[in-house]
Amino acid sequence: MEYGNWRLPAAEDILRDTPICLHLLVNTKLLMKKIGFLSFGHWADHPSYKTRTASDTLLQSIDLAVAAEEIGLDGAYFRVHHFAHQLASPFPLLAAIGAKTSKIEIGTGVIDMRYENPMYMVEDAGAADLISRGRLQLGISRGSPEQVIEGWRYFGYQPGEGKDDADMGRRKALEFLDKLKGEGFAIPNPRPMFPNPPGLLRLEPHSDGLRERIWWGAASNATAVWAAENGMNLQSSTLKFDESGKPFHIQQAEQIRLYKEAWKKAGHQREPRVSVSRSIFALVTEQDRYYFGRQGKEADTFGYIEADQRAVFGRGYAAEPRQLIKELAQDEAIQEADTLLLTIPNTLGVDYNIHVLSAILEHVAPALGWR
């Protein structure tokens, strides 16, 4: 039975597992969610890896997105890292997936704007979005520490005088957002090779609506508020800057609430979207228990992702479905989000990752009201 936007448990479920169902009945924040996967796109010449080369990773990423759509998953998202044996140039991959799928959302989590040319990125993003018929969900951000020192300098970029790399990343993000609007800004040549439309010219191809499908990956409360003020959806990953010493999921939930308040205050006319990332594994086979059985008791950890910035890293979840449901029901940040991105072990291949995702859809999501 359904009530509003969420599903009430069947009577037999209540009799079988009263504590869980009572929690679902009283907690009206457990709403249906979009569920996607997030792949870091690793490869290495290791005997146990299914992805030994960059070609393996790229081609398997396409196959994984196709298979994920077939089982009813809502999103296929990919991390972007430079100077590493991981996915780095997202737009050819996103366009290829867009051409071979028809429903699944296709996105990034996240593109490091310090490395980007916003103008060229508008063209690439527009083309990929048109190929996918408007299914791109692009996560962008200032970026995290990378494989090399100030790697963006090798790409020909440097912060302006008196600015740092974070300022540069945010400046480029705002330029990207501005040009996505599709408004003319360039003075046309009076003797062009091809006829021009009247007025100033914009970048082409333009994809209408893509501007509203840009997400900002925020590691702090302040940048989450900044994202809301600038009309971007919010991506919050498995780590954030430690701003209170509280457990990760509580800090993340507070960040999301601040974002939503700032969005409302800014007066935007559409509803924002919020995603959180989690490592979640339902142990339903012996192979699952072999791979992830020792991860079920993980706790939050505190450390330094940057020399002067303390961060909190969220725990992973790995347990039998019944226990997993109880633990996930207590995660405040998941409750606040409308989209959940499941980080996957891409090196284990397409078949096993589809098993991992199917187990969540079948054994976990319905009991939590996500489906």
Side-chain angles (χ1 to χ4, degrees):
M1 181 171 62
E2 293 185 356
Y3 179 78
N5 221 7
W6 56 293
R7 184 181 297 276
L8 290 176
E12 59 267 29
D13 294 330
I14 295 176
L15 293 174
R16 184 179 66 248
D17 206 350
T18 301
I20 294 176
C21 293
L22 283 177
H23 181 91
L24 297 181
L25 287 169
V26 300
N27 194 337
T28 58
K29 290 185 177 179
L30 291 175
L31 303 177
M32 294 183 69
K33 300 185 186 300
K34 289 184 178 292
I35 303 176
F37 72 78
L38 174 62
S39 172
F40 279 56
H42 293 283
W43 73 86
D45 188 13
H46 189 283
S48 67
Y49 280 17
K50 301 291 186 181
T51 53
R52 296 196 180 188
T53 67
S55 177
D56 291 341
T57 296
L58 288 163
L59 294 174
Q60 287 189 36
S61 294
I62 297 169
D63 292 342
L64 180 59
V66 171
E69 180 175 84
E70 290 174 351
I71 66 171
L73 210 69
D74 300 301
Y77 288 74
F78 301 90
R79 188 69 167 90
V80 179
H81 278 291
H82 301 286
F83 299 105
H85 285 187
Q86 295 175 238
L87 297 171
S89 51
F91 292 109
L93 176 61
L94 298 177
I97 293 172
K100 297 196 70 172
T101 57
S102 60
K103 296 179 294 185
I104 196 168
E105 294 182 343
I106 309 163
T108 51
V110 292
I111 298 173
D112 188 334
M113 292 304 295
R114 297 174 298 180
Y115 287 78
E116 294 297 320
N117 177 325
M119 299 283 193
Y120 200 80
M121 187 175 170
V122 167
E123 295 179 344
D124 277 351
D129 195 46
L130 290 171
I131 290 170
S132 70
R133 293 178 174 84
R135 288 182 284 129
L136 243 57
Q137 302 284 343
L138 289 182
I140 65 175
S141 189
R142 156 263 172 110
S144 61
E146 293 291 307
Q147 297 298 104
V148 300
I149 298 172
E150 297 183 342
W152 31 270
R153 293 190 184 273
Y154 294 96
F155 279 55
Y157 304 118
Q158 59 183 6
E161 185 176 354
K163 303 294 184 179
D164 61 16
D165 63 310
D167 296 322
M168 179 175 66
R170 287 189 285 269
R171 176 185 59 78
K172 288 186 177 188
L174 293 178
E175 184 176 2
F176 175 62
L177 294 174
D178 180 64
K179 297 303 183 290
L180 279 178
K181 296 175 183 176
E183 299 172 355
F185 64 93
I187 299 173
N189 187 340
R191 293 181 293 277
M193 181 178 295
F194 307 105
N196 284 323
L200 299 177
L201 301 183
R202 69 185 184 186
L203 294 169
E204 301 288 355
H206 171 69
S207 185
D208 192 38
L210 179 56
R211 169 63 179 82
E212 295 185 352
R213 287 178 273 116
I214 307 301
W215 305 59
W216 182 260
S220 69
N221 293 346
T223 51
V225 169
W226 179 83
E229 292 169 346
N230 286 282
M232 287 182 279
N233 298 319
L234 177 66
Q235 283 186 343
S236 194
S237 72
T238 52
L239 68 88
K240 71 178 295 294
F241 293 156
D242 177 26
E243 299 181 80
S244 68
K246 297 177 183 177
F248 169 77
H249 74 103
I250 294 177
Q251 290 201 49
Q252 191 175 51
E254 291 172 348
Q255 179 195 48
I256 294 170
R257 287 190 284 268
L258 288 171
Y259 166 83
K260 291 178 178 177
E261 291 170 6
W263 183 278
K264 184 176 181 180
K265 184 177 180 180
H268 302 301
Q269 296 304 303
R270 63 181 175 87
E271 286 297 313
R273 288 183 60 184
V274 176
S275 74
V276 295
S277 303
R278 291 290 185 274
S279 294
I280 304 174
F281 299 97
L283 306 182
V284 296
T285 69
E286 288 304 313
Q287 188 177 28
D288 298 333
R289 297 180 186 97
Y290 173 77
Y291 282 141
F292 304 108
R294 296 183 179 181
Q295 298 185 21
K297 295 184 179 180
E298 288 185 4
D300 295 343
T301 57
F302 292 81
Y304 288 84
I305 192 171
E306 296 178 350
D308 60 347
Q309 184 63 63
R310 179 177 161 92
V312 55
F313 301 78
R315 57 161 296 187
Y317 294 92
E320 304 292 325
R322 186 181 180 91
Q323 178 62 28
L324 201 56
I325 291 165
K326 292 179 181 179
E327 293 178 3
L328 290 169
Q330 306 301 318
D331 192 313
E332 291 187 16
I334 292 180
Q335 295 174 26
E336 290 286 346
D338 60 79
T339 300
L340 174 64
L341 300 183
L342 303 171
T343 61
I344 58 166
N346 77 284
T347 56
L348 296 181
V350 174
D351 291 343
Y352 184 71
N353 278 289
I354 288 300
H355 159 73
V356 166
L357 296 169
S358 296
I360 299 299
L361 293 182
E362 179 181 352
H363 299 291
V364 177
L368 288 166
W370 299 348
R371 277 290 189 271

